[in-house]
Every structure is written in C-alpha cells, then in structure tokens.
C-alpha cells in the first residue's frame, strides 16, 4: 500500500466516481506515517492485534481470567450488529464467535458456566444464555413486548421478567440454570409509572401499585403497603440495615421496617420540590431535588428525630455521590467541588474545578487525605482539610461527538426533530433535566458504593471480574436510556422525502447512543483502589494527533500516557484496562502503518459510500506507577 505520507493525506476525503450516481470516499487518519512510527517507537510493543474489520465496539469486558468479551457493530449506516468475540488474552486468539441478530444486546450476568444477555427487539424482548466456553446457546426465552424488563434475583437463582399488559404488570420468575418458568403472577399498575423493582435481601420490592415486598423464591406478596404510592420520577428506594425509605408521589417521606412492613413514620416534605435521590449515612437522610425555578436542594433529615436538620440551595445540579469526612460533607456539581458543615449545612468550601459546564458524570473519592473529583475529562484532587488543590489533569475528547459534553448538549434537538418527522410529541425539557440529574446521582452513588465494597473486602485487584459477575447492568442501561443525549441535526436537503429524513435522523441517533453507551461503560470500569484511566486525544499538530490513554495514580497524581492509535473517525473510543495484568485492551487501528488496509466500500449515507481503514482489538502493556 502506497505510503500516505508521500501523498499528504490530512483526514482526507477523496471522492471517486461510482456507477448510478454514488460518490465514494476514502477516509484516512490525520497523522502521517512518519509521525505514527515516531510515536510508536516510544510505546511498548502490543501483545496481540486481532483484526475486526470496519467496526465499532458496543461492549468490552473481562468475564474471567484471560477472557475478554467484545461486542462488535458494523461501521455502516444504521450501525448493524456484528459478532460477539471471546478472546483468550493470554494467547491473543479468538476462542469463538457468536453471530448477533437484530436488536440491542445487553450483558446481564456472567457466571463460569453461563453468559446471560437481554436482547431488545422492535416487537419483542429475548433473554438468552450462552455457554461461555464455546459460545453456543444453552437456552432462550422470548417475551412479546419490547418493554419487558428483567431483574436477576440471585438469592433464589432466578430471573424475573416484568411486562406491562392492559394496566397490569405480569411477572414471570424463571431459573437462571435452564430458563424454565417457576411461577407467574400479576400486579396492578404499570412499569412506566413507577421506579424499577429492586432486590434487597431478603425480599424483592416493587412499586407498581403501592410498595410491596415479594418472596424471592415464589413471587408471593409478603406485605403490601398500598398507601405508599410512587410515580415514574420518584427516587429509588433507599435502605439501611433494617429500614427502607420511600418518598411518595405526594412528597411524603416514609420510613418502613424492612422485615415487617410496619410504617414507622411518614413526614410531609416541601410540595414544590421534585426529589431525585435519597442517600443514607450515619443516621441522616440526605434528600436531593429541584424546584420549578431550577433551584437544586440538599436537605438533611434526621432518622431519629424525624425532622429536617438543614437545607442547602444551589443553582447547579448536585450530581456526585456524597462523601463525609471529619464533619465536612463533600459533593460535586458539573463544575465545582463543594463542602458543607455536616451539622448545620453551612458552606465551608467552594472550588471551581472546570469551566466547561457539563463535565459528566462526577464521582468523588477520598484518597490519601484528598478528595478526588473524577469527571469525564477532568481529574482533580483537593486537600480534605484545607481545600487546596493537590493536582489536576484535564484532557481533550477524541472528537466532537465522542464525549458526553457534546452528546448531552444537543440530542434533545435531534430527537425533537425525529418526533416532528413522525408527528409525535417529544418529552418535556423539564422532565429530561429531572431524569438526567437523577440518573447521574444514582450512577455516582452506585459507582462509589461498588468501590467501597471492593476496597473493604480486599478484592479490588479483581474488581472488574466481580463487577461484571455480580452487578446488574440493566439498571445502568435504563439510566443511559433516560438521559438527554445527542448531536446537531445534519442538513439533509429539501429534496429528501420526509420518510427518508426520519430514517437518516434515526440512524444518527443510533450511532450517538452507541457512543454514549460506550463512554459510560468504560467510565464504570475505569478505576481501581489506586488508579484511574481516561481515553482522550493527544494533539501536537494538525497531522500529529492520537487516541491516548492516561493512567493516573490517585494518591500522588502522577500521570502516564500511552499512545494507542492515530485519531481516526470514531475509533479509539473503547479502552479497557486490566489492572491486575497491567494491560489495556484497545479498539482502534494501532501504531503500525504497515498493517493499515482499506475496507470494502459500504453505504454510509443515503447518497454515498465509504472505504475506511480496518480496525483491531489490540492488547498493549501498561506499567503501573507506585
């Protein structure tokens, strides 16, 4: 293949004439062969490179020792599904391929002998079990509703399926081992008007028609509290060792004895606040919410005295988890780190971390006497006592459509346009903002809770395996689905028919949602007890820019960058670090121009075809800093 450096491609678009009026484009990366080779000489040699053609990745995770599962989608109009691959990371070989049909695939649970996957189709939802040793199907269940949701109930070895049917919810319990039905029941109400069911030992709790506690083996109702009615935007249930806490649709805060179902207290809250999150710590409930004027609140409520202790008001959403440290309550917004006096709610610290305005998601970590603010592209640490900045690292996104700032900023416009083309109404912006705030708060709480669990159990070295085996990913999928995301609407031209416009807009949404899911999935697996990583762009000049991974040692703030691929379209988005084996698994084109080959021409838009450089799954060694 003739060297691109001789021709001088700079993210070139070379138009070739094709039959029947189609234009064909050849897409190259921006960096020259000489620059790629120069940067590669400073990087460790890859352990392996597995060709993946012209593709995107929609899932990448470790599912066991030396086993990497990768879900591929074609880089073409509509982003159709391609195979699941299982890679032996020790040998660098593909153990099996599983061809995926139409639908959105979501990994639910992973065991030594089962890989459980939900498949959302246009008119039905499937739940299938693959044998992880050879990729064959062990069993499959089909449900004739695209709105079916699933809840793994591990104490009973079951999966519960929930389906809306004529203002009732049909519940089916089937076994994880073979997919056979164990029991079925119905509940009044609908899923779309209530928060998701949750498992909290020893019960399963639903809120379709009042609060119910169900037996995890038989699905029978153990107690029913119809007076505690919730709605779709009610905060998720919160628990401590013996109680659960509910904010009803009438804005009453109820404390319930978890074992018996006795309502111990019921306290009216402010009518003008829509609550998004309830968080319990050390005998205090922290309630977060917002009002119609876009003011955001944090209210401290005493579990013992059943009364409000204090409230704090701010104009920005409070998005992070809460960290209590020596009388200070730390929290994060999209731009700032805040600390309140935990006894009276007075502000003790307010530090501007970033001016970007939409630095999502945000998680706080307490590490070596610092509070570490973890945003998407900003990582900063502040002394927990003085608030003085210890270190800060900012990063550049890989592309304008490959970071949450860009995705969050405008997909409401795109979805609104699609709604107009289909003559259907779009969701209100107020509801979107409310759902977005709730989603990020829950994500941060869950992420921090997982970290503490692994840290306290001494099991963080294998946390990625634990995370994929024991955490329920369908809740994350729902979180992502409710958050506002998008890009600007591309000009399609007045000559294109309305139906063709709708198809093109839908394809754009699908691609952007794939990118967003990829970012959030990587984010959820991005840290260990001592390290955190971020994929981002390293820019040197217009023809010298690379997809890079930065590994940050959280106690010291030391950072080490690894070049992975030259910037090229949307590739380089997926990076997964195996901390235990000190390896990053990267989806891109790598740092060896001799391996770059063009794909076959394929349809990209309504009137054009493209050829792109084919991609790889690449394993690159990483050296951890002490």
């Amino acid at each position: 293949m003739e060297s691109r450096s001789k021709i001088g491609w700079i993210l070139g678009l070379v138009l070739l004439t094709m039959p029947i009026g189609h234009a064909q484009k050849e897409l190259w990366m921006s960096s020259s062969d000489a620059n790629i080779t120069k940067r590669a000489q400073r990087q460790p040699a890859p352990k392996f490179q597995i060709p993946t053609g012209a593709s995107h990745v929609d899932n990448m995770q470790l599912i066991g020792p030396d086993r990497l599962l990768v879900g591929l989608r074609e880089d073409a109009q509509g982003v159709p599904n391609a195979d699941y691959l299982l890679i032996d990371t020790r040998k660098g070989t593909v153990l099996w391929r599983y061809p995926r049909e139409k639908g959105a695939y979501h990994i639910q649970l992973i065991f030594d002998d089962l890989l459980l996957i939900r498949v959302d189709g246009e008119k039905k939802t499937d739940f299938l079990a693959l044998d992880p040793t050879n990729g064959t199907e062990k069993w499959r269940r089909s449900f004739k509703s695209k709105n079916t949701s699933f809840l793994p109930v591990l104490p009973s070895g079951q999966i519960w399926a929930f389906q809306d049917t004529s203002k009732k919810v049909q519940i089916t319990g089937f076994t994880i081992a073979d997919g056979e039905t164990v029991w079925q029941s119905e509940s009044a109400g609908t899923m779309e008007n209530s928060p998701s069911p949750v498992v909290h030992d020893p019960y399963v709790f639903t809120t379709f028609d009042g609060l119910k506690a169900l037996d995890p083996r038989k699905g029978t109702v153990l107690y029913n509290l119809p007076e505690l009615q919730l709605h779709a935007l009610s905060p998720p249930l919160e628990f401590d060792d013996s109680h659960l806490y509910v904010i009803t649709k009438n804005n009453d805060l109820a404390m319930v004895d978890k074992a018996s179902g006795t309502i111990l207290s019921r306290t009216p809250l402010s009518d003008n606040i829509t609550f998004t999150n309830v968080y319990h710590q050390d005998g205090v409930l922290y309630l977060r919410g917002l009002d119609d004027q876009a003011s955001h609140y944090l209210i401290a409520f005493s579990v013992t005295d059943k009364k409000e202790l204090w409230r704090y008001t701010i104009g920005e959403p409070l998005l992070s988890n809460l960290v209590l440290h020596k009388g200070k309550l730390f929290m994060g917004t999209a731009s700032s780190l805040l600390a309140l006096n935990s006894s009276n709610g007075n502000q003790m610290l307010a530090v501007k971390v970033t001016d970007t305005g939409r630095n999502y998601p945000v998680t706080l970590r307490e590490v070596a006497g610092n509070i570490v603010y973890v945003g998407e592209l900003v990582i900063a640490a502040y002394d927990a006592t003085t608030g003085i900045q210890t270190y800060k690292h900012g990063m550049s996104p890989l592309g304008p459509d490959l970071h949450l700032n860009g995705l969050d900023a405008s997909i409401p416009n795109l979805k609104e346009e699609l709604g107009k083309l289909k003559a259907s109404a779009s969701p209100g912006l107020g509801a979107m903002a409310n759902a977005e705030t709730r989603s990020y708060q829950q994500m941060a709480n869950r992420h921090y809770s997982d970290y503490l669990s692994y840290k306290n159990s001494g099991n963080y070295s294998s946390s990625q395996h634990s995370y994929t085996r024991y955490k329920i990913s369908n809740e994350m999928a729902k979180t992502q689905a409710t958050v506002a995301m998008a890009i600007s609407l591309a000009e399609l031209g007045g000559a294109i028919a309305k139906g063709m416009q709708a198809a093109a807009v839908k394809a754009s949404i699908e691609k952007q949602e794939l990118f967003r899911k990829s970012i959030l999935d990587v984010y959820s697996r991005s840290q260990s007890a001592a390290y955190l990583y971020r994929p981002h762009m390293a820019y040197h000049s217009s023809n010298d820019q690379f997809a890079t991974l930065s590994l940050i040692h959280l106690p010291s703030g030391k950072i080490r960058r690894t070049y992975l691929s030259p910037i090229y379209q949307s590739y380089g988005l997926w990076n997964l670090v195996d901390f235990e084996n000190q390896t990053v698994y990267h989806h891109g084109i790598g740092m060896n121009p001799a391996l770059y080959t063009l794909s076959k021409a394929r349809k990209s838009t309504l009137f054009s075809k493209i050829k792109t450089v084919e991609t790889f799954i690449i394993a690159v060694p990483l050296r951890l800093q002490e």
Side-chain angles (χ1 to χ4, degrees), residues 5 11 30 62 84 106 163 192 221 335 436 535 562:
S5 57
L11 197 59
S30 60
L62 296 163
Y84 270 131
H106 308 278
Q163 294 176 276
E192 65 180 1
V221 177
S335 64
E436 181 180 14
T562 301

Side-chain angles (χ1 to χ4, degrees), residues 177-194:
D178 55 20
E180 295 295 325
T181 297
V182 180
W183 55 268
Q184 285 187 317
S185 67
E186 286 187 341
S187 174
T190 63
M191 290 191 297
E192 65 180 1
N193 292 324
S194 61

Side-chain angles (χ1 to χ4, degrees), residues 171-426:
I171 311 174
T172 303
F174 57 95
T175 61
I176 290 175
D178 55 20
E180 295 295 325
T181 297
V182 180
W183 55 268
Q184 285 187 317
S185 67
E186 286 187 341
S187 174
T190 63
M191 290 191 297
E192 65 180 1
N193 292 324
S194 61
S196 300
V198 295
V199 179
H200 201 279
D201 193 49
Y203 305 133
V204 178
F205 293 92
T206 65
T207 56
F208 305 130
D209 183 31
L211 177 67
K212 293 181 182 178
L214 307 183
D215 186 310
R217 296 163 299 171
K218 304 175 183 177
T220 53
V221 177
L222 300 175
Y223 59 80
N224 182 16
L225 303 174
E227 60 269 45
L228 300 183
Q229 295 284 331
L230 284 73
H231 55 62
L233 294 180
S234 294
L237 303 178
E238 175 71 359
F239 300 87
D240 61 25
D241 291 340
S242 55
H243 305 100
L244 67 88
Y245 305 94
V246 182
I247 294 182
T248 69
K249 66 181 182 181
N250 296 322
N251 265 15
D252 287 348
L253 172 63
M255 182 170 70
V256 179
D257 182 90
K258 186 175 67 174
S260 66
T262 302
I263 299 176
L264 302 176
S265 65
R266 189 166 178 177
T267 307
L269 301 174
S270 302
D271 291 336
N272 66 326
I273 298 177
T274 299
F275 289 93
T276 58
N277 180 254
V278 181
Y279 180 78
H280 176 267
Q281 187 168 347
D282 296 340
V284 177
L285 289 177
Y286 296 99
L287 316 177
R288 288 184 282 195
L290 68 160
D291 63 18
D292 294 338
Q293 306 303 313
S295 294
H296 295 261
Y297 295 84
L298 176 66
I299 299 174
F301 188 90
S302 171
V303 171
T304 303
D305 299 332
K306 314 296 188 299
K307 66 178 183 179
E308 181 178 316
L309 299 175
W310 49 260
R311 67 173 53 194
Y312 174 77
T313 307
I314 188 174
E316 285 188 279
L318 300 170
L319 299 173
S320 76
N321 55 301
L322 305 177
V323 175
L324 186 62
H325 176 83
K326 295 182 179 180
K328 292 180 181 177
L329 185 66
F330 289 90
M331 67 202 74
T333 71
S335 64
S336 303
L337 174 68
L338 308 173
L340 308 181
N341 185 318
S342 62
S343 62
N344 58 25
N346 291 336
Q347 183 174 292
M348 302 177 69
L349 176 71
V351 179
K352 179 63 77 68
V353 180
T354 174
D355 291 318
T356 61
R358 296 182 68 84
N359 183 42
Y360 298 160
V362 176
T363 304
L364 302 186
R365 290 270 305 272
E366 183 180 353
V367 181
N370 292 321
I371 301 299
V372 182
Y373 176 105
V374 181
E376 184 190 2
L377 296 168
V378 177
I379 315 297
Y382 299 86
D383 185 281
T385 302
T386 65
I388 296 174
Q389 181 178 294
T390 306
Y391 61 81
K392 181 177 179 179
H393 300 293
M395 302 162 198
S396 300
L398 290 167
D401 56 354
L402 295 180
H403 61 112
L404 297 183
N405 184 8
L407 294 175
D408 280 337
S410 56
I411 218 178
N413 299 336
L414 191 60
K415 287 191 171 179
E416 182 179 1
E417 184 66 22
L418 180 62
K420 290 177 181 177
L421 294 171
K422 292 184 174 181
S424 60
S426 297

